[in-house]
Coordinates of all heavy atoms in Angstrom, one line a residue:
M25 N -98.7 64.1 20.0 CA -97.3 64.2 19.6 C -96.9 63.0 18.8 O -96.2 63.1 17.8 CB -96.5 64.3 20.9 CG -95.0 64.5 20.7 SD -94.6 66.0 19.9 CE -93.0 65.7 19.4
F26 N -97.3 61.8 19.3 CA -96.9 60.6 18.6 C -97.6 60.5 17.3 O -97.1 60.0 16.3 CB -97.2 59.3 19.5 CG -96.8 58.0 18.9 CD1 -95.4 57.7 18.8 CD2 -97.7 57.1 18.4 CE1 -95.0 56.6 18.3 CE2 -97.2 55.9 17.8 CZ -95.9 55.6 17.8
A27 N -98.9 61.0 17.2 CA -99.7 60.9 16.0 C -99.0 61.8 14.9 O -99.0 61.5 13.8 CB -101.1 61.4 16.3
K28 N -98.5 63.0 15.4 CA -97.8 63.9 14.4 C -96.6 63.2 13.8 O -96.3 63.2 12.6 CB -97.3 65.1 15.2 CG -97.7 66.4 14.6 CD -97.1 67.5 15.4 CE -98.0 68.8 15.2 NZ -97.5 69.9 16.1
F29 N -95.8 62.4 14.6 CA -94.6 61.7 14.2 C -95.0 60.6 13.2 O -94.4 60.5 12.1 CB -93.9 61.1 15.4 CG -92.8 60.2 15.0 CD1 -91.6 60.7 14.5 CD2 -92.9 58.8 15.1 CE1 -90.5 59.9 14.1 CE2 -91.8 58.0 14.8 CZ -90.7 58.5 14.3
L30 N -96.1 59.9 13.5 CA -96.6 58.8 12.7 C -97.1 59.4 11.3 O -96.8 58.8 10.3 CB -97.8 58.1 13.4 CG -98.0 56.7 13.1 CD1 -96.8 55.9 13.6 CD2 -99.3 56.1 13.7
L31 N -97.7 60.6 11.4 CA -98.2 61.2 10.1 C -97.0 61.6 9.2 O -97.1 61.4 8.0 CB -99.1 62.4 10.5 CG -99.8 63.1 9.3 CD1 -101.0 62.2 8.9 CD2 -100.3 64.5 9.7
T32 N -96.0 62.1 9.9 CA -94.8 62.5 9.1 C -94.2 61.3 8.4 O -93.8 61.4 7.2 CB -93.8 63.2 10.0 OG1 -94.4 64.3 10.7 CG2 -92.6 63.8 9.2
V33 N -94.1 60.2 9.2 CA -93.5 59.0 8.6 C -94.3 58.5 7.5 O -93.8 58.1 6.4 CB -93.3 57.9 9.7 CG1 -93.0 56.6 9.1 CG2 -92.3 58.3 10.7
A34 N -95.7 58.6 7.7 CA -96.6 58.1 6.6 C -96.4 58.9 5.4 O -96.4 58.4 4.3 CB -98.0 58.1 7.2
V35 N -96.3 60.2 5.5 CA -96.2 61.1 4.4 C -94.9 60.8 3.6 O -94.9 60.7 2.4 CB -96.3 62.6 4.8 CG1 -95.9 63.5 3.7 CG2 -97.8 62.9 5.2
V36 N -93.8 60.7 4.4 CA -92.5 60.4 3.8 C -92.5 59.1 3.0 O -92.0 59.0 1.9 CB -91.4 60.5 4.9 CG1 -90.1 59.9 4.3 CG2 -91.2 61.9 5.3
A37 N -93.1 58.1 3.7 CA -93.2 56.8 3.1 C -94.0 56.8 1.8 O -93.7 56.2 0.7 CB -93.8 55.8 4.0
L38 N -95.1 57.6 1.8 CA -96.0 57.7 0.6 C -95.2 58.4 -0.5 O -95.3 57.9 -1.7 CB -97.2 58.6 1.0 CG -98.4 58.5 0.0 CD1 -99.1 57.2 0.2 CD2 -99.3 59.7 0.3
I39 N -94.5 59.4 -0.2 CA -93.7 60.1 -1.3 C -92.6 59.2 -1.8 O -92.4 59.0 -3.0 CB -93.1 61.4 -0.7 CG1 -94.2 62.4 -0.4 CG2 -92.0 62.0 -1.6 CD1 -93.7 63.7 0.3
W40 N -92.0 58.4 -0.9 CA -90.9 57.5 -1.3 C -91.4 56.4 -2.2 O -90.8 56.2 -3.3 CB -90.3 56.9 0.0 CG -89.2 55.9 -0.3 CD1 -89.4 54.5 -0.2 CD2 -87.9 56.1 -0.7 NE1 -88.2 53.9 -0.5 CE2 -87.3 54.8 -0.8 CE3 -87.1 57.2 -0.9 CZ2 -86.0 54.7 -1.2 CZ3 -85.8 57.1 -1.3 CH2 -85.3 55.8 -1.5
F41 N -92.5 55.8 -1.8 CA -93.0 54.7 -2.7 C -93.6 55.2 -3.9 O -93.6 54.6 -5.0 CB -94.0 53.8 -1.9 CG -93.4 52.9 -0.9 CD1 -93.5 53.1 0.5 CD2 -92.6 51.9 -1.3 CE1 -92.8 52.3 1.4 CE2 -91.9 51.1 -0.4 CZ -92.0 51.3 0.9
G42 N -94.2 56.4 -3.9 CA -94.7 57.0 -5.1 C -93.6 57.3 -6.1 O -93.8 57.1 -7.3
F43 N -92.5 57.8 -5.6 CA -91.3 58.1 -6.5 C -90.8 56.8 -7.1 O -90.5 56.7 -8.3 CB -90.3 58.8 -5.6 CG -89.1 59.2 -6.5 CD1 -89.2 60.3 -7.3 CD2 -87.9 58.6 -6.3 CE1 -88.1 60.7 -8.1 CE2 -86.8 59.0 -7.1 CZ -86.9 60.0 -8.0
K44 N -90.7 55.7 -6.2 CA -90.3 54.4 -6.7 C -91.2 53.9 -7.8 O -90.7 53.3 -8.8 CB -90.1 53.4 -5.6 CG -88.8 53.5 -4.8 CD -88.8 52.5 -3.7 CE -88.3 51.1 -4.2 NZ -88.1 50.2 -3.1
Y45 N -92.5 54.1 -7.6 CA -93.5 53.6 -8.6 C -93.3 54.3 -9.9 O -93.3 53.7 -11.0 CB -94.9 53.8 -8.0 CG -96.0 53.5 -9.0 CD1 -96.3 52.2 -9.3 CD2 -96.7 54.5 -9.6 CE1 -97.3 51.9 -10.2 CE2 -97.7 54.3 -10.5 CZ -98.0 53.0 -10.8 OH -99.0 52.7 -11.8
L46 N -93.1 55.6 -9.8 CA -93.0 56.4 -11.1 C -91.7 56.0 -11.8 O -91.7 55.9 -13.0 CB -92.9 57.9 -10.7 CG -94.3 58.6 -10.5 CD1 -94.1 60.0 -10.1 CD2 -95.2 58.5 -11.7
Q47 N -90.6 55.7 -11.0 CA -89.4 55.3 -11.6 C -89.6 54.0 -12.4 O -89.1 53.8 -13.5 CB -88.3 55.1 -10.6 CG -87.3 56.2 -10.5 CD -86.2 55.9 -9.5 OE1 -86.3 55.2 -8.6 NE2 -85.0 56.5 -9.7
R48 N -90.3 53.1 -11.8 CA -90.6 51.7 -12.3 C -91.4 51.9 -13.6 O -91.1 51.2 -14.6 CB -91.3 50.9 -11.3 CG -91.7 49.5 -11.8 CD -90.7 48.5 -11.3 NE -91.0 47.1 -11.8 CZ -90.3 46.4 -12.7 NH1 -89.2 46.9 -13.1 NH2 -90.7 45.2 -13.0
V49 N -92.4 52.7 -13.6 CA -93.2 52.9 -14.8 C -92.4 53.5 -15.9 O -92.5 53.1 -17.1 CB -94.4 53.9 -14.4 CG1 -95.1 54.4 -15.7 CG2 -95.4 53.1 -13.6
T50 N -91.5 54.5 -15.6 CA -90.7 55.1 -16.6 C -89.7 54.1 -17.2 O -89.5 54.0 -18.4 CB -89.9 56.3 -16.0 OG1 -90.8 57.1 -15.4 CG2 -89.2 57.0 -17.1
E51 N -89.2 53.2 -16.3 CA -88.2 52.2 -16.8 C -88.9 51.2 -17.7 O -88.3 50.8 -18.8 CB -87.6 51.5 -15.6 CG -86.5 50.6 -15.9 CD -86.0 49.8 -14.6 OE1 -85.8 50.4 -13.6 OE2 -86.0 48.6 -14.7
L52 N -90.1 50.8 -17.4 CA -90.8 49.8 -18.2 C -91.2 50.4 -19.6 O -91.1 49.8 -20.6 CB -92.1 49.4 -17.5 CG -91.9 48.3 -16.4 CD1 -93.3 48.1 -15.7 CD2 -91.4 47.0 -16.9
R53 N -91.5 51.7 -19.5 CA -91.9 52.4 -20.8 C -90.7 52.5 -21.7 O -90.7 52.3 -22.9 CB -92.5 53.8 -20.5 CG -93.2 54.4 -21.7 CD -93.8 55.7 -21.3 NE -94.8 55.6 -20.2 CZ -95.2 56.5 -19.4 NH1 -94.7 57.7 -19.5 NH2 -96.1 56.3 -18.5
E54 N -89.5 52.8 -21.1 CA -88.3 53.0 -21.9 C -87.9 51.6 -22.5 O -87.4 51.5 -23.6 CB -87.2 53.5 -21.1 CG -87.2 55.0 -20.9 CD -86.2 55.6 -19.9 OE1 -85.4 54.8 -19.4 OE2 -86.2 56.8 -19.7
R55 N -88.0 50.5 -21.7 CA -87.7 49.2 -22.2 C -88.6 48.8 -23.3 O -88.1 48.2 -24.3 CB -87.8 48.2 -21.0 CG -86.9 47.0 -21.3 CD -87.1 46.0 -20.1 NE -86.6 46.5 -18.9 CZ -86.8 45.9 -17.7 NH1 -87.5 44.9 -17.6 NH2 -86.3 46.5 -16.6
R56 N -89.9 49.1 -23.2 CA -90.8 48.8 -24.3 C -90.5 49.6 -25.6 O -90.5 49.1 -26.7 CB -92.2 49.0 -23.9 CG -93.2 48.3 -24.7 CD -94.6 48.6 -24.2 NE -94.8 48.3 -22.8 CZ -95.6 49.0 -22.0 NH1 -96.4 50.0 -22.5 NH2 -95.7 48.7 -20.8
A57 N -90.1 50.8 -25.4 CA -89.8 51.7 -26.5 C -88.5 51.2 -27.2 O -88.3 51.3 -28.4 CB -89.6 53.1 -26.1
A58 N -87.5 50.7 -26.4 CA -86.3 50.2 -27.0 C -86.5 48.9 -27.8 O -85.8 48.6 -28.7 CB -85.3 49.9 -25.9
R59 N -87.5 48.1 -27.3 CA -87.8 46.8 -28.0 C -88.4 47.0 -29.3 O -88.1 46.3 -30.3 CB -88.6 45.9 -27.1 CG -88.3 44.4 -27.3 CD -89.2 43.5 -26.4 NE -89.4 44.0 -25.1 CZ -90.5 44.0 -24.4 NH1 -91.6 43.6 -25.0 NH2 -90.5 44.4 -23.1
T60 N -89.4 47.9 -29.4 CA -90.1 48.2 -30.6 C -89.6 49.5 -31.2 O -90.0 50.6 -30.6 CB -91.6 48.2 -30.4 OG1 -91.9 49.1 -29.4 CG2 -92.1 46.8 -30.1
P61 N -88.7 49.5 -32.1 CA -88.2 50.8 -32.7 C -89.4 51.7 -33.2 O -90.3 51.1 -33.9 CB -87.2 50.4 -33.7 CG -87.6 49.0 -34.1 CD -88.2 48.4 -32.8
S62 N -89.3 53.0 -33.0 CA -90.4 53.9 -33.4 C -90.5 54.0 -35.0 O -91.5 54.2 -35.5 CB -90.2 55.2 -32.8 OG -89.0 55.7 -33.2
T63 N -89.3 53.8 -35.6 CA -89.3 53.9 -37.1 C -89.0 52.5 -37.6 O -87.9 52.0 -37.7 CB -88.3 54.8 -37.6 OG1 -87.0 54.5 -37.0 CG2 -88.6 56.3 -37.3
P64 N -90.1 51.7 -38.0 CA -89.8 50.4 -38.6 C -89.1 50.4 -39.9 O -89.2 51.5 -40.6 CB -91.3 49.8 -38.8 CG -92.1 51.0 -38.9 CD -91.5 52.1 -38.1
E65 N -88.4 49.3 -40.2 CA -87.6 49.3 -41.4 C -88.6 49.4 -42.7 O -89.4 48.6 -42.8 CB -86.9 47.9 -41.5 CG -85.9 47.8 -42.6 CD -84.5 48.3 -42.3 OE1 -84.3 48.5 -41.1 OE2 -83.7 48.4 -43.2
R66 N -88.3 50.4 -43.4 CA -89.2 50.7 -44.6 C -88.5 50.0 -45.8 O -87.3 49.9 -45.9 CB -89.3 52.2 -44.8 CG -90.3 52.8 -43.9 CD -90.6 54.2 -44.2 NE -89.5 55.1 -44.1 CZ -89.4 56.3 -44.6 NH1 -90.4 56.8 -45.2 NH2 -88.4 57.0 -44.4
P67 N -89.3 49.6 -46.8 CA -88.8 48.9 -48.0 C -88.0 50.0 -48.7 O -88.4 51.1 -48.9 CB -90.0 48.5 -48.7 CG -91.1 49.2 -48.2 CD -90.8 49.5 -46.8
R68 N -86.8 49.6 -49.2 CA -85.9 50.5 -49.9 C -85.8 50.1 -51.4 O -85.8 48.9 -51.7 CB -84.6 50.5 -49.3 CG -84.5 51.2 -47.9 CD -83.1 51.3 -47.4 NE -82.3 52.0 -48.4 CZ -81.0 52.0 -48.3 NH1 -80.4 51.4 -47.3 NH2 -80.2 52.7 -49.2
F69 N -85.7 51.0 -52.2 CA -85.5 50.7 -53.7 C -84.0 50.4 -53.9 O -83.2 51.3 -53.6 CB -85.9 51.9 -54.5 CG -85.6 51.8 -56.0 CD1 -86.3 50.8 -56.7 CD2 -84.6 52.5 -56.6 CE1 -86.0 50.7 -58.1 CE2 -84.3 52.3 -57.9 CZ -85.0 51.4 -58.6
E70 N -83.8 49.2 -54.4 CA -82.4 48.8 -54.7 C -82.4 48.6 -56.2 O -82.9 47.7 -56.7 CB -82.1 47.5 -54.0 CG -82.2 47.6 -52.5 CD -81.0 48.3 -51.8 OE1 -80.0 48.6 -52.6 OE2 -81.0 48.5 -50.6
P71 N -81.7 49.5 -56.9 CA -81.6 49.3 -58.4 C -80.8 48.1 -58.7 O -79.7 47.8 -58.2 CB -80.9 50.6 -58.8 CG -80.2 51.1 -57.6 CD -81.0 50.7 -56.4
V72 N -81.3 47.4 -59.7 CA -80.6 46.2 -60.2 C -79.6 46.6 -61.1 O -79.8 47.5 -62.0 CB -81.7 45.2 -60.9 CG1 -81.0 43.9 -61.3 CG2 -82.8 44.9 -60.0
P73 N -78.3 46.1 -61.0 CA -77.2 46.6 -61.8 C -77.3 46.3 -63.3 O -76.6 46.9 -64.1 CB -76.0 46.0 -61.2 CG -76.5 45.0 -60.2 CD -77.9 45.2 -59.9
D74 N -78.3 45.5 -63.7 CA -78.4 45.2 -65.2 C -79.1 46.4 -65.9 O -79.1 46.3 -67.2 CB -79.2 43.9 -65.4 CG -80.7 44.0 -64.9 OD1 -81.0 45.1 -64.3 OD2 -81.4 43.1 -65.0
G75 N -79.5 47.4 -65.2 CA -80.1 48.5 -65.9 C -81.6 48.4 -66.3 O -82.1 49.3 -66.9
E76 N -82.2 47.3 -65.9 CA -83.6 47.1 -66.3 C -84.5 47.9 -65.4 O -85.5 48.4 -65.8 CB -83.9 45.6 -66.2 CG -83.5 44.8 -67.4 CD -84.3 45.2 -68.7 OE1 -85.5 45.4 -68.6 OE2 -83.7 45.4 -69.8
S77 N -84.1 48.1 -64.1 CA -85.0 48.8 -63.2 C -84.8 50.3 -63.3 O -85.6 51.0 -62.8 CB -84.7 48.3 -61.8 OG -83.4 48.5 -61.4
V78 N -83.7 50.7 -63.9 CA -83.5 52.2 -64.0 C -83.4 52.5 -65.5 O -82.5 52.0 -66.2 CB -82.2 52.6 -63.3 CG1 -81.9 54.1 -63.4 CG2 -82.2 52.2 -61.8
Q79 N -84.3 53.3 -65.9 CA -84.4 53.7 -67.3 C -84.6 55.2 -67.5 O -85.2 55.8 -66.6 CB -85.6 53.0 -68.0 CG -85.4 51.5 -68.1 CD -86.6 50.8 -68.6 OE1 -87.6 51.5 -69.1 NE2 -86.7 49.5 -68.6
D80 N -84.0 55.7 -68.5 CA -84.2 57.1 -68.8 C -85.5 57.2 -69.5 O -85.9 56.5 -70.4 CB -83.1 57.6 -69.8 CG -81.8 57.8 -69.0 OD1 -81.8 58.2 -67.8 OD2 -80.7 57.6 -69.6
L81 N -86.3 58.3 -69.1 CA -87.6 58.5 -69.8 C -87.4 59.5 -70.9 O -86.6 60.4 -70.8 CB -88.6 59.0 -68.7 CG -88.9 58.1 -67.6 CD1 -89.9 58.7 -66.6 CD2 -89.3 56.7 -68.0
V82 N -88.1 59.3 -72.0 CA -88.1 60.2 -73.1 C -89.4 60.8 -73.3 O -90.5 60.2 -73.1 CB -87.6 59.4 -74.4 CG1 -86.2 59.1 -74.4 CG2 -88.5 58.2 -74.6
K83 N -89.4 62.1 -73.7 CA -90.6 62.8 -73.9 C -91.2 62.6 -75.3 O -90.4 62.7 -76.3 CB -90.4 64.3 -73.7 CG -91.7 65.2 -73.7 CD -91.4 66.6 -73.5 CE -92.7 67.4 -73.5 NZ -92.4 68.9 -73.5
C84 N -92.4 62.2 -75.3 CA -93.1 62.0 -76.6 C -93.5 63.4 -77.1 O -94.2 64.1 -76.4 CB -94.3 61.1 -76.4 SG -95.3 60.9 -77.9
P85 N -93.1 63.7 -78.3 CA -93.4 65.1 -78.9 C -94.9 65.2 -79.2 O -95.4 66.3 -79.4 CB -92.5 65.1 -80.1 CG -92.3 63.7 -80.5 CD -92.2 63.0 -79.2
R86 N -95.6 64.1 -79.3 CA -97.0 64.1 -79.7 C -97.9 64.2 -78.4 O -98.8 65.1 -78.4 CB -97.3 62.7 -80.4 CG -98.7 62.7 -80.9 CD -98.8 63.4 -82.2 NE -100.2 63.5 -82.6 CZ -100.7 64.6 -83.3 NH1 -100.0 65.6 -83.6 NH2 -102.0 64.6 -83.6
C87 N -97.7 63.4 -77.4 CA -98.6 63.4 -76.2 C -97.9 64.1 -75.0 O -98.6 64.3 -74.0 CB -99.0 62.0 -75.9 SG -97.6 60.9 -75.6
H88 N -96.7 64.6 -75.2 CA -96.0 65.3 -74.2 C -95.9 64.6 -72.8 O -96.0 65.2 -71.8 CB -96.6 66.7 -74.0 CG -96.7 67.5 -75.3 ND1 -95.6 68.0 -75.9 CD2 -97.8 67.8 -76.0 CE1 -96.0 68.6 -77.1 NE2 -97.4 68.5 -77.1
T89 N -95.8 63.3 -72.8 CA -95.6 62.6 -71.6 C -94.3 61.9 -71.6 O -93.7 61.6 -72.7 CB -96.7 61.5 -71.4 OG1 -96.6 60.6 -72.6 CG2 -98.1 62.0 -71.3
Y90 N -93.7 61.7 -70.5 CA -92.4 61.1 -70.3 C -92.6 59.6 -70.1 O -93.3 59.2 -69.1 CB -91.6 61.7 -69.2 CG -91.1 63.0 -69.6 CD1 -91.8 64.2 -69.3 CD2 -89.8 63.2 -70.1 CE1 -91.3 65.4 -69.7 CE2 -89.3 64.4 -70.4 CZ -90.1 65.5 -70.2 OH -89.6 66.8 -70.6
R91 N -92.1 58.7 -70.9 CA -92.3 57.3 -70.7 C -91.0 56.6 -71.2 O -90.2 57.2 -72.0 CB -93.5 56.8 -71.5 CG -93.8 57.5 -72.8 CD -95.2 57.1 -73.3 NE -95.2 55.8 -73.8 CZ -96.2 54.9 -73.6 NH1 -97.2 55.3 -72.8 NH2 -96.2 53.7 -74.1
S92 N -90.9 55.4 -70.8 CA -89.8 54.6 -71.2 C -89.9 54.2 -72.7 O -91.0 53.9 -73.2 CB -89.7 53.3 -70.4 OG -88.8 52.4 -71.0
S93 N -88.8 54.3 -73.4 CA -88.9 54.1 -74.8 C -89.1 52.6 -75.1 O -89.5 52.2 -76.2 CB -87.5 54.5 -75.5 OG -86.5 53.8 -74.9
K94 N -88.9 51.8 -74.1 CA -89.2 50.3 -74.3 C -90.7 50.0 -74.2 O -91.1 48.9 -74.5 CB -88.5 49.5 -73.2 CG -87.0 49.5 -73.3 CD -86.3 48.7 -72.2 CE -84.8 48.7 -72.4 NZ -84.2 48.0 -71.3
L95 N -91.5 51.0 -73.7 CA -92.9 50.7 -73.6 C -93.6 50.7 -74.9 O -94.7 50.2 -75.1 CB -93.6 51.8 -72.7 CG -93.3 51.6 -71.2 CD1 -93.9 52.8 -70.4 CD2 -94.0 50.3 -70.7
G96 N -93.0 51.4 -75.9 CA -93.6 51.4 -77.2 C -94.6 52.5 -77.5 O -94.6 53.5 -76.7
H97 N -95.4 52.3 -78.4 CA -96.4 53.3 -78.9 C -97.4 53.6 -77.8 O -97.9 52.8 -77.0 CB -97.1 52.7 -80.1 CG -97.8 53.8 -80.9 ND1 -99.1 54.2 -80.7 CD2 -97.3 54.5 -82.0 CE1 -99.4 55.1 -81.6 NE2 -98.3 55.3 -82.4
C98 N -97.6 55.0 -77.6 CA -98.5 55.4 -76.5 C -100.0 55.4 -77.0 O -100.9 55.6 -76.1 CB -98.1 56.8 -76.1 SG -98.4 58.1 -77.3
G99 N -100.2 55.2 -78.2 CA -101.6 55.1 -78.7 C -102.1 56.3 -79.5 O -103.1 56.2 -80.2
Q100 N -101.3 57.4 -79.3 CA -101.7 58.6 -80.1 C -101.2 58.5 -81.5 O -100.1 58.0 -81.7 CB -101.2 59.9 -79.4 CG -101.7 60.1 -78.0 CD -102.4 61.4 -77.9 OE1 -102.4 62.2 -78.7 NE2 -103.2 61.5 -76.8
E101 N -101.8 59.2 -82.4 CA -101.4 59.2 -83.8 C -100.2 60.0 -83.9 O -100.1 61.1 -83.4 CB -102.5 59.7 -84.7 CG -102.4 59.2 -86.1 CD -103.6 59.7 -86.9 OE1 -104.8 59.5 -86.5 OE2 -103.4 60.3 -88.0
G102 N -99.2 59.5 -84.7 CA -98.0 60.3 -84.9 C -96.9 60.1 -83.8 O -95.9 60.8 -83.7
C103 N -97.1 59.1 -82.9 CA -96.1 58.9 -81.8 C -95.0 58.1 -82.4 O -95.2 57.1 -83.1 CB -96.8 58.0 -80.7 SG -95.7 57.7 -79.4
P104 N -93.8 58.7 -82.3 CA -92.6 58.0 -82.9 C -92.2 56.7 -82.2 O -91.3 56.0 -82.8 CB -91.5 59.1 -82.8 CG -91.9 59.9 -81.6 CD -93.4 59.9 -81.5
Y105 N -92.8 56.4 -81.1 CA -92.3 55.2 -80.4 C -93.2 54.0 -80.6 O -94.4 54.2 -81.0 CB -92.2 55.5 -78.9 CG -91.2 56.6 -78.6 CD1 -91.7 57.9 -78.2 CD2 -89.9 56.5 -78.9 CE1 -90.9 58.9 -78.0 CE2 -89.0 57.6 -78.7 CZ -89.5 58.8 -78.2 OH -88.7 59.8 -78.0
Ligands
LIG212 ZN1 -96.7 59.4 -77.6

């Protein structure tokens, strides 16, 4: 009779401490996830307002490629740039 009572107490204690352990593990995992954000800051393109970093591309009628007109001649014969 006493052994049955002891076994019940032991089972309840096991469940109780197991639940507390799981709560602690979850809390630590959440804290670690909050410290290191899952999406790190990626480099962003910031256009310089002087217009140097943003240029319109023009199509070369000779080689059919789009390039900045400031790049100059593409190397093909008859290129107007
Ligand atoms: Zn060209």
Side-chain angles (χ1 to χ4, degrees):
M25 183 65 195
F26 185 71
K28 231 181 206 177
F29 173 73
L30 211 65
L31 189 74
T32 308
V33 168
V35 167
V36 167
L38 197 75
I39 291 171
W40 175 259
F41 285 111
F43 186 71
K44 276 180 82 174
Y45 172 75
L46 281 178
Q47 255 185 338
R48 178 98 179 114
V49 165
T50 309
E51 190 186 306
L52 282 175
R53 196 177 297 159
E54 279 174 1
R55 201 181 296 166
R56 197 177 310 147
R59 209 181 315 136
T60 53
S62 55
T63 51
E65 187 89 11
R66 284 189 293 170
R68 290 185 56 193
F69 173 70
E70 299 284 351
V72 183
D74 63 358
E76 278 295 315
S77 60
V78 181
Q79 293 176 8
D80 286 327
L81 300 182
V82 285
K83 186 182 181 185
C84 174
R86 186 77 189 147
C87 53
H88 307 291
T89 58
Y90 287 87
R91 37 192 286 134
S92 170
S93 57
K94 291 180 180 175
L95 284 174
H97 200 270
C98 66
Q100 297 240 349
E101 204 176 308
C103 181
Y105 304 110

